[in-house]
Amino acid sequence: MNPETIAVHGAHGPDTATGAVAPPIYLSTTFERAADGSLPHGFLYARDANPNRVALERVLAVLEKGAAAAAFASGQAATMAVFQSLAPGDHVVLPASVYYGTKKLMDSVFARWGLTTTSVDMRDAENVAGALRKETRLVWVETPSNPLLAVADIARIATLAHDAGAKCAVDNTWATPVGQNPIALGADVVMHSTTKYLGGHGDVMGGALVVREDDELFQRIRTIQTAGGAIAAPFDCWLVVRGIKTLPHRVRAHSANALAVASFLESHANIEAVHYPGLASHPGHAVAARQMSMFGGMVSVQIRGGREASLGVAARVKLFTRATSLGGPESLVEHRASVEAPGSGTPDNLLRLSIGLEHPDDLIADLEQALG
Ligand SMILES: Cc1ncc(COP(=O)(O)O)c(C=O)c1O
């Protein structure tokens, strides 16, 4: 079936007890055993599983063309479970351009846990080959990356990882499952911050992992999750399931708006650089066009005049809201270097734009007046 149909029907049908078309929210933390001690509905205790979480995991697995999924309390909790599945002494290859929080998690938590890392520029997949060691167990990919929208060739990197006996995990948050399917390209694990496009309305935090196979790695991840308790709450799962129903239509609109805004910015005299993989001028455009069906709603832009000039643009916008995060209906702008640590590598004149669902002409008019 096509993503639009999976998005609407993939989580649940009408409620079997009442016929309710929208699913109930199951808040119960525990479930009744039969007289013989068995669990007739398969549920025991809400940290292990809950009907709303099972429904979310079902639709996520199908949308990402995987065998199974696990829904977490946040994107970071999902990433953390992947890192926790590794053992002290294991080596991880990370992209040089990666979500700041992923790098922070690795440096501030998992270095002490005994993981070692090498960061490489994955815009050239062959750089990964040079970083692989006999202890490498994981190659982590993020494409397009946050905030520079660097594009990495998933199929090539997954092959390199597998040849070295490592797994390949892809943070697919920015592309979404309707824009890119890393498992179909060879990846073993897909990670999402469902806080973003999957929830889609800026009102729920969550994360997810989808795996190619329900194998020993997934069982380890599941044990880490259910033993440790980094689970998504029932209402949060319900909200993400609801968000997913409109995901393909929203991502199509976000992508069309983002292309219109990026094309406008590219031609503006006060702009130094525009980073959007849908532009033919983007260095990763050819790879992105091969592995993505839509280029997504995120655009980063470098303003002529440095930090002060870019903060000035952020100060003058009226329709864009100055806020972190992404993937909701409201367009957001963020001076990214301000929320990352010094030395993160994000240019000081970079504004990250989460292009929302407003009319693109209105967004362009707002940027035009702010750019002066
Ligand atoms: C690419 C990417 N990965 C992971 C995360 C972390 O997700 P969460 O904030 O849900 O923990 C974010 C958040 O901005 C992100 O942009």
Side-chain angles (χ1 to χ4, degrees):
M1 269 192 275
N2 292 292
E4 289 79 358
T5 313
I6 297 167
V8 173
H9 294 285
H12 60 88
D15 178 43
T16 47
T18 63
V21 174
I25 303 170
Y26 296 90
L27 293 175
S28 184
T29 53
T30 191
F31 298 84
E32 187 185 27
R33 285 183 188 272
D36 64 0
S38 65
L39 295 162
H41 304 286
F43 294 103
L44 165 68
Y45 182 59
R47 176 151 45 74
D48 298 321
N50 157 281
N52 295 102
R53 201 158 99 230
V54 168
L56 171 58
E57 291 168 348
R58 190 182 300 132
V59 66
L60 284 170
V62 184
L63 271 182
E64 276 292 13
K65 305 186 195 304
F72 290 80
S74 69
Q76 287 301 83
T79 299
M80 186 137 142
V82 176
F83 294 165
Q84 283 173 322
S85 75
L86 301 171
D90 287 350
H91 175 247
V92 179
V93 181
L94 283 180
S97 178
V98 67
Y99 168 55
Y100 172 66
T102 305
K103 180 87 172 73
K104 185 174 169 188
L105 196 55
M106 192 49 98
D107 293 346
S108 60
V109 179
F110 287 94
R112 297 185 64 197
W113 170 286
L115 297 186
T116 58
T117 54
T118 307
S119 292
V120 296
D121 183 350
M122 292 195 185
R123 290 176 299 176
D124 179 354
E126 302 317 309
N127 288 337
V128 172
L132 293 165
R133 305 182 196 157
K134 67 175 191 325
E135 318 81 64
T136 307
R137 294 287 168 272
L138 179 70
V139 178
W140 184 269
V141 180
E142 184 183 309
T143 179
S145 71
N146 180 0
L148 282 169
L149 291 125
V151 170
D153 183 337
I154 296 172
R156 178 69 188 138
I157 293 173
T159 300
L160 288 169
H162 295 158
D163 289 351
K167 299 277 188 186
C168 175
V170 178
D171 183 336
N172 206 30
T173 299
W174 280 29
T176 85
V178 299
Q180 175 174 278
N181 290 129
I183 288 174
L185 294 162
D188 305 287
V189 180
V190 173
M191 176 266 162
H192 280 286
S193 164
T194 59
T195 313
K196 317 300 182 192
Y197 292 98
L198 294 168
H201 296 77
D203 52 11
V204 56
M205 288 211 72
L209 297 174
V210 185
V211 289
R212 164 186 295 279
E213 287 171 51
D214 187 350
D215 57 3
E216 192 261 334
L217 171 65
F218 185 65
Q219 288 315 314
R220 225 178 315 146
I221 286 172
R222 193 55 112 182
T223 302
I224 289 163
Q225 180 190 39
T226 56
I231 51 165
F235 183 41
D236 293 354
C237 293
W238 187 93
L239 282 170
V240 178
V241 164
R242 183 170 73 163
I244 286 173
K245 286 175 197 274
T246 55
L247 179 73
H249 303 281
R250 287 187 288 104
V251 176
R252 203 172 293 127
H254 282 291
S255 300
N257 281 2
L259 181 60
V261 168
S263 304
F264 158 74
L265 291 171
E266 201 177 29
S267 65
H268 197 285
N270 292 352
I271 299 297
E272 192 175 285
V274 182
H275 305 275
Y276 184 64
L279 291 175
S281 59
H282 188 283
H285 179 67
V287 174
R290 203 166 64 228
Q291 67 189 15
M292 301 179 83
S293 57
M294 295 179 229
F295 297 108
M298 296 302 295
V299 177
S300 284
V301 60
Q302 290 177 250
I303 312 291
R304 278 195 207 288
R307 176 187 166 85
E308 291 315 312
S310 65
L311 287 171
V313 172
R316 286 189 294 274
V317 287
K318 296 190 169 78
L319 205 47
F320 282 77
T321 303
R322 287 173 294 280
T324 198
S325 203
L326 54 121
E330 299 87 3
S331 287
L332 307 179
V333 59
E334 179 173 54
H335 181 254
R336 192 62 193 164
S338 296
V339 299
E340 297 177 352
S344 72
T346 295
D348 228 12
N349 65 342
L350 184 138
L351 296 179
R352 193 185 77 175
L353 306 176
S354 172
I355 303 299
L357 297 174
E358 302 91 341
H359 195 286
D361 292 351
D362 297 327
L363 295 175
I364 289 169
D366 190 30
L367 290 168
E368 197 162 26
Q369 66 77 25
L371 282 163

